[in-house]
């Protein structure tokens, strides 16, 4: 640095700034404004430059703004010499001690088609008093083929489905309650000109009971119960909504035996009810209810087990 004026809890004004490695300068700027604060400071980030054969020269910059103690945002501007340009916004927030989220939204102008392509990605998690927890995640974009060609990253090119969900959960001892909404779109060649399959839960209520002892008996009860509305879109005819109710209790017996061998037999019964079924040729859904039930049984053997405790 040729000279500088620095203000604590303010900004540093630097002139003639050079970065060197082994005495050789590899970066130089005549002026540099740098925050010298304990707290986050608004300002432009270091510009990005690059080049590739498909889009030409690239120049990008971002502006960071700490809106408040619990919220900050970054605005992105990108330009490619062959006619592509984009804008993006990233939000990060922590409204409470046990809550945090982030959301990124971007727009890219496709010079070849003249359209604007968009992409949204985000997640949020928060813990509430009383054992409640909220978790949400969103991933969606206007055209997966465009972003795979445009970004050319391993993560993007290996992506086969979009998955978004919002789940409110509560645990109380061995019991758990889940209220869930899900949307999944999977891409591929499914035949008949179908390039994607959409499956949704709108919504789903789930109850789970982990293995719980019944009184003073050696019997342990576990259970899963689900009630949901499902929507599917597999083709022009194989689409629609239907309900499902599923109950699956199981009973285990803790058998007395050797301390180094544990044998646990389990029996269960499952009943599932659907408000619609496939047509005879399996090309469409028809409003004809159907139920399914079966029994299960098994034995778990754990051991022999060996252990020793050193004082």
């Amino acid at each position: 640095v040729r000279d500088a004026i620095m203000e604590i809890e303010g900004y540093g004004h630097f002139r003639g700034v050079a970065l060197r490695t082994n005495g050789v300068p590899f970066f130089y700027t005549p002026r540099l404004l740098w925050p010298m604060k304990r707290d986050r400071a608004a300002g432009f980030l270091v510009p990005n430059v690059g080049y590739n054969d498909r889009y030409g020269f690239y120049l990008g910059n971002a502006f960071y703004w700490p809106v408040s103690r619990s919220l900050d945002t970054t605005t992105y501007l990108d330009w490619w010499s062959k006619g592509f340009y984009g804008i993006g916004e990233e939000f990060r927030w922590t409204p409470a001690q046990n809550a945090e989220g982030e959301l990124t939204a971007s727009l890219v102008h496709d010079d070849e088609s003249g359209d604007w392509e968009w992409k949204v990605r985000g997640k949020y998690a928060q813990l509430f008093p009383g054992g409640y927890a909220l978790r949400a995640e969103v991933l969606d974009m206007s055209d997966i083929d465009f972003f795979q060609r445009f970004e050319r990253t391993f993560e993007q090119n290996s992506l086969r489905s979009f998955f978004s969900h919002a789940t409110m959960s509560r645990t109380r001892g061995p019991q758990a309650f889940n209220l869930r909404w899900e949307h999944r779109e999977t891409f591929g060649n499914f035949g008949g000109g179908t390039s994607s399959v959409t499956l949704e839960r709108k919504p789903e209520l789930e109850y789970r009971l982990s293995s719980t002892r019944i009184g003073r008996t050696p019997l342990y009860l576990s259970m899963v119960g689900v009630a949901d509305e499902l929507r599917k879109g597999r083709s022009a005819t194989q689409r629609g909504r239907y309900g499902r109710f599923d109950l699956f209790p199981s009973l285990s017996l803790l058998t007395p035996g050797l301390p180094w061998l544990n044998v646990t037999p389990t029996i269960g019964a499952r009943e599932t009810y659907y408000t619609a079924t496939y047509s005879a040729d399996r090309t469409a859904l028809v409003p004809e209810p159907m139920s399914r039930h079966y029994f299960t049984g098994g034995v778990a053997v754990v051991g022999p087990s060996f252990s020793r405790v050193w004082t």
Side-chain angles (χ1 to χ4, degrees):
V1 178
R2 187 168 70 247
D3 59 69
I5 299 176
M6 294 172 287
E7 179 184 359
I8 303 301
E9 293 300 324
Y11 290 88
H13 299 262
F14 302 88
R15 294 195 301 174
V17 179
L19 298 180
R20 303 172 183 268
T21 175
N22 292 330
V24 179
F26 64 91
F27 175 81
Y28 174 82
T29 178
R31 298 294 298 270
L32 178 65
L33 180 67
W34 196 267
M36 303 185 63
K37 302 180 179 181
R38 292 186 179 92
D39 294 333
R40 299 162 300 163
F44 288 96
L45 305 182
V46 177
N48 292 320
V49 295
Y51 174 82
N52 65 59
D53 295 335
R54 184 177 179 84
Y55 306 111
F57 289 99
Y58 163 74
L59 176 63
N61 203 355
F63 181 80
Y64 173 76
W65 179 31
V67 182
S68 65
R69 292 186 62 185
S70 60
L71 172 65
D72 60 55
T73 178
T74 305
T75 303
Y76 298 91
L77 293 175
D78 302 291
W79 172 83
W80 292 264
S81 61
K82 293 188 177 181
F84 292 84
Y85 48 91
I87 57 176
E89 195 74 27
E90 181 178 357
F91 299 92
R92 294 163 296 272
W93 65 94
T94 54
Q97 182 177 2
N98 295 318
E100 61 178 351
E102 59 184 50
L103 179 68
T104 302
S106 58
L107 285 171
V108 178
H109 182 264
D110 186 356
D111 186 66
E112 298 175 353
S113 64
D115 298 329
W116 284 92
E117 305 292 348
W118 56 267
K119 180 171 69 170
V120 177
R121 181 191 295 269
K123 59 183 179 180
Y124 181 73
Q126 182 170 357
L127 299 179
F128 298 93
Y132 291 92
L134 173 64
R135 292 176 177 83
E137 186 175 357
V138 61
L139 172 62
D140 202 1
M141 60 188 71
S142 58
D143 188 346
I144 187 174
D145 293 330
F146 168 78
F147 282 100
Q148 287 181 339
R149 296 192 309 268
F150 186 78
E151 296 183 1
R152 291 190 173 186
T153 62
F154 176 80
E155 179 185 7
Q156 192 69 51
N157 288 338
S158 61
L159 185 67
R160 190 169 178 260
S161 63
F162 299 156
F163 178 65
S164 302
H165 78 94
T167 304
M168 175 65 79
S169 305
R170 188 194 181 190
T171 57
R172 186 176 182 180
Q175 303 180 89
F177 301 86
N178 298 305
L179 180 62
R180 181 184 298 114
W181 173 90
E182 288 184 2
H183 173 89
R184 183 184 298 273
E185 185 176 4
T186 305
F187 301 90
N189 184 9
F190 299 99
T194 303
S195 60
S196 66
V197 170
T198 302
L199 301 174
E200 292 183 338
R201 305 174 190 264
K202 303 177 64 176
E204 177 183 82
L205 179 61
E206 180 186 55
Y207 169 77
R208 286 184 174 271
L209 175 66
S210 60
S211 185
T212 303
R213 189 175 184 180
I214 303 176
R216 296 184 178 181
T217 68
L219 298 175
Y220 287 77
L221 175 67
S222 60
M223 182 185 306
V224 177
V226 177
D228 46 17
E229 181 187 7
L230 305 176
R231 188 183 76 86
K232 64 185 299 183
R234 292 185 179 272
S235 63
T237 57
Q238 252 195 53
R239 59 179 59 248
R241 300 175 182 269
Y242 59 96
R244 180 184 65 172
F245 303 91
D246 189 28
L247 185 62
F248 189 14
S250 61
L251 197 64
S252 301
L253 174 64
L254 185 62
T255 59
L258 300 174
W260 47 268
L261 185 65
N262 185 4
V263 179
T264 306
T266 302
I267 60 172
R270 187 169 189 178
E271 180 74 22
T272 309
Y273 175 80
Y274 298 92
T275 61
T277 61
Y278 278 123
S279 59
D281 56 1
R282 300 186 64 83
T283 60
L285 285 173
V286 293
E288 297 179 1
M290 181 188 72
S291 61
R292 176 192 63 179
H293 51 269
Y294 58 86
F295 298 94
T296 63
V299 176
V301 180
V302 179
S305 301
F306 303 93
S307 64
R308 178 179 177 181
V309 178
W310 283 269
T311 58

